Amino acid sequence: MPTTLHIATRKGVFQVTRQGASWKIASAHFLGDNMSIVTPDPRDGSLHVALDLGHFGVKLHRSRDDGATWEERPAPAFPKQPDDIVSVDGFGKPLPWKVTKIWALEPGHASEPGVLWCGTIPGGLFHSTDGGDSWNFVQSLWDHPLRKNWFGGGADLPGIHSICVHPANPKHITVGVSCGGVWVTRDGGATWDCQADGMRAEFMPPERMGDPSIQDPHRVVQCRGNPDHLWAQHHNGIFRTTDCAKSWHELTNVLPSPFGFAVAVHPADPLTAWFIPAIKDERRIPVDGKLVVTRTRDGGKSVETLRAGLPQEHAYDIVYRHALDIDAVGTTLAFGSTTGSLYVSENQGDDWQCVAEHLPPIHGVRFG
Amino acid sequence: MPRIVFTPNVQRHLACPPAHVDGDTVRAALDAYFRAHPRSRSYVLDEQDALRPHMVIFVDNEPINDRVKLSDALRPSSELFVMQALSGGSR
């Protein structure tokens, strides 16, 4: 059973530990600072956090002693934008080559200690081989002609929020983009293919609804034990692939709503996944004011609603894309909400315990 | 020699002590400061070397005009105040 949770919030990062039969907040760091991501690296025990300092820009800090001390490391940055290049997004809006948010930070493969991948708004992907001491811009993805189709989804500009490292192949990386589809490299980032066939974008004119390069997967996760299986909580529904993103299939009849941001997949059973639904599009509140988690155990043929321990009246919690996590064995789940509530389930979502109700808005939850 | 002073609010993140620096433009003065205090660069400028959107620099009590090339001229007696703008503080 896991014993530590790391929580990134709008006003600091918190460590939550299992004490006896319950989970308690054990420490707080960077109080008052906007934290966009927290990422524990199980390979070396380091802990990485991304700060979004409104005035002073995005920053990265790393701890190698469980948060006792922190050191600022360089944040990823775009190369100099040539004067003769006009950079716009898919809608023609200016897209400066400037990192405005660190939106994904993932350890590389176990066989590549020190490798980190970082996704940003406005859509730059970065790669580190030294544990975050320096970053290389993945020019190949940025230069891909279809990248210029990307546009913002929620945020003003497009962004990379999901990075899945194939458990059997360190060079096989799957990336989720809002809005820009799902992108796959099998050669460590030298070449990329957009692989979102089957996804459906209601926010586009009818003839472009199926365009892979403008899809809005809110979150993409990969089953570690069966990595051909990935799940995507998309702006317009829940999609699943069983052929490593070559084709995606939409779940139908998902109640109470197919809209949401977060998804978690069981680490060994690719048919089991969890979601946290809300009313689409811009309203973004739980259906009927009831906070629920949904779960499928059969690859999406059926979806059950889990509500034991969750507030069932006047609850307006939204759970962001990085704020739901599952432990390494697939038993314990945790999620945090925009209203600062944190919940843990130790039986796959059947029952939930409220750990905190008054944290700042929660951006990210990770077991570590 | 122009003098640079930083907002006290940045000192929580890193030390940016006041300093006298060579330079006849805002760019030249900042570059001189950043050579001595390299970590402070990314707190003031973005990766395209423009002033961050929610930062402001006053030269002799007036905000600079050129936020991109930082070409505003300095006198040897100029004082630069590197401040937070009130925008961008709602996070």
Side-chain angles (χ1 to χ4, degrees):
Chain A
M1 176 166 297
T3 56
T4 304
L5 273 169
H6 303 282
I7 315 296
T9 80
R10 201 165 90 181
K11 296 290 180 183
V13 65
F14 299 83
Q15 288 175 303
V16 177
T17 57
R18 194 171 197 276
Q19 301 174 24
S22 60
W23 293 77
K24 305 284 188 189
I25 298 171
S27 62
H29 311 276
F30 300 98
L31 279 174
D33 291 330
N34 187 12
M35 317 299 291
S36 62
I37 286 286
V38 57
T39 301
D41 186 342
R43 300 167 304 175
D44 63 5
S46 61
L47 186 61
H48 302 262
V49 294
L51 288 72
D52 179 7
L53 302 177
H55 301 91
F56 306 123
V58 299
K59 310 296 174 196
L60 277 176
H61 288 251
R62 182 179 66 202
S63 175
R64 287 182 159 156
D65 53 13
D66 293 327
T69 60
W70 298 87
E71 54 178 343
E72 183 178 350
R73 307 310 306 151
F78 280 86
K80 287 286 177 288
Q81 183 174 346
D83 290 337
D84 59 344
I85 289 186
V86 177
S87 179
V88 295
D89 70 4
F91 291 159
K93 291 164 37 179
L95 193 152
W97 293 20
K98 300 177 180 181
V99 173
T100 58
K101 184 187 285 290
I102 292 174
W103 217 17
L105 183 61
E106 294 293 342
H109 193 269
S111 67
E112 295 184 327
V115 167
L116 298 171
W117 294 89
C118 182
T120 67
I121 295 175
L125 181 67
F126 297 84
H127 179 241
S128 174
T129 59
D130 53 16
D133 287 333
S134 64
W135 293 94
N136 302 305
F137 180 51
V138 181
Q139 189 86 42
S140 54
L141 183 57
W142 189 250
D143 287 345
H144 197 289
L146 292 179
R147 194 273 304 167
K148 296 175 179 59
N149 289 347
W150 298 1
F151 51 80
D156 288 342
L157 293 170
I160 295 172
H161 49 66
S162 298
I163 301 171
C164 305
V165 179
H166 195 290
N169 179 2
K171 305 298 183 194
H172 186 158
I173 311 294
T174 303
V175 167
V177 185
S178 288
C179 297
V182 178
W183 291 74
V184 178
T185 179
R186 290 176 172 76
D187 51 21
T191 60
W192 294 87
D193 292 310
C194 184
Q195 295 192 183
D197 285 336
M199 290 185 174
R200 179 178 60 83
E202 291 175 3
F203 47 83
M204 293 296 282
E207 292 190 2
R208 289 198 63 189
M209 279 188 185
D211 184 341
S213 67
I214 54 76
Q215 297 297 321
D216 187 12
H218 286 170
R219 180 73 169 145
V220 179
V221 294
Q222 186 168 32
C223 177
R224 250 196 337 276
N226 196 335
D228 281 352
H229 293 244
L230 294 94
W231 290 82
Q233 173 63 69
H234 183 287
H235 190 91
N236 289 121
I238 296 170
F239 294 82
R240 171 180 176 240
T241 174
T242 59
D243 55 13
C244 224
K246 291 186 181 68
S247 62
W248 293 84
H249 304 279
E250 185 173 6
L251 274 60
T252 55
N253 302 316
V254 179
L255 295 174
S257 166
F259 179 86
F261 295 95
V263 51
V265 59
H266 191 282
D269 174 10
L271 303 181
T272 298
W274 293 260
F275 313 89
I276 303 181
I279 299 174
K280 79 178 188 77
D281 286 344
E282 70 281 3
R283 293 176 68 195
R284 302 186 179 191
I285 52 174
V287 177
D288 297 330
K290 302 176 191 297
L291 179 59
V292 301
V293 174
T294 53
R295 177 179 64 196
T296 178
R297 291 189 184 278
D298 54 14
K301 293 188 184 72
S302 64
V303 175
E304 57 188 319
T305 299
L306 311 169
R307 57 180 87 240
L310 301 175
Q312 295 302 293
E313 61 179 351
H314 286 296
Y316 301 107
D317 305 65
I318 287 296
V319 178
Y320 285 150
R321 67 198 79 219
H322 302 118
L324 167 66
D325 199 19
I326 187 167
D327 72 330
V329 297
T331 301
T332 306
L333 291 102
F335 73 86
S337 78
T338 50
T339 56
S341 296
L342 177 67
Y343 294 91
V344 174
S345 169
E346 296 179 340
N347 56 6
Q348 297 193 323
D350 286 338
D351 300 285
W352 295 89
Q353 62 171 282
C354 181
V355 176
E357 292 180 280
H358 302 291
L359 287 171
I362 293 172
H363 296 157
V365 170
R366 291 290 285 260
F367 286 104
Chain B
M1 193 179 283
R3 181 171 184 261
I4 299 185
V5 178
F6 285 78
T7 169
N9 294 318
V10 78
Q11 314 293 339
R12 184 166 70 85
H13 302 287
L14 79 169
C16 293
H20 288 277
V21 291
D22 272 328
D24 56 5
T25 64
V26 171
R27 170 78 71 198
L30 286 178
D31 281 346
Y33 188 88
F34 296 147
R35 278 195 291 276
H37 305 278
R39 261 187 73 199
S40 59
R41 172 181 284 271
S42 76
Y43 283 73
V44 180
L45 306 181
D46 62 35
E47 60 257 67
Q48 304 303 325
D49 281 337
L51 189 60
R52 288 197 174 280
H54 303 301
M55 295 294 284
V56 61
I57 297 176
F58 288 86
V59 173
D60 300 330
N61 299 315
E62 293 296 328
I64 63 171
N65 292 312
D66 182 357
R67 299 176 56 90
V68 177
K69 296 188 183 304
L70 308 175
S71 63
D72 292 54
L74 303 180
R75 294 178 288 113
S77 61
S78 286
E79 281 205 324
L80 289 79
F81 285 91
V82 180
M83 314 289 288
Q84 294 164 291
L86 279 181
S87 61
S90 64
R91 288 157 196 269

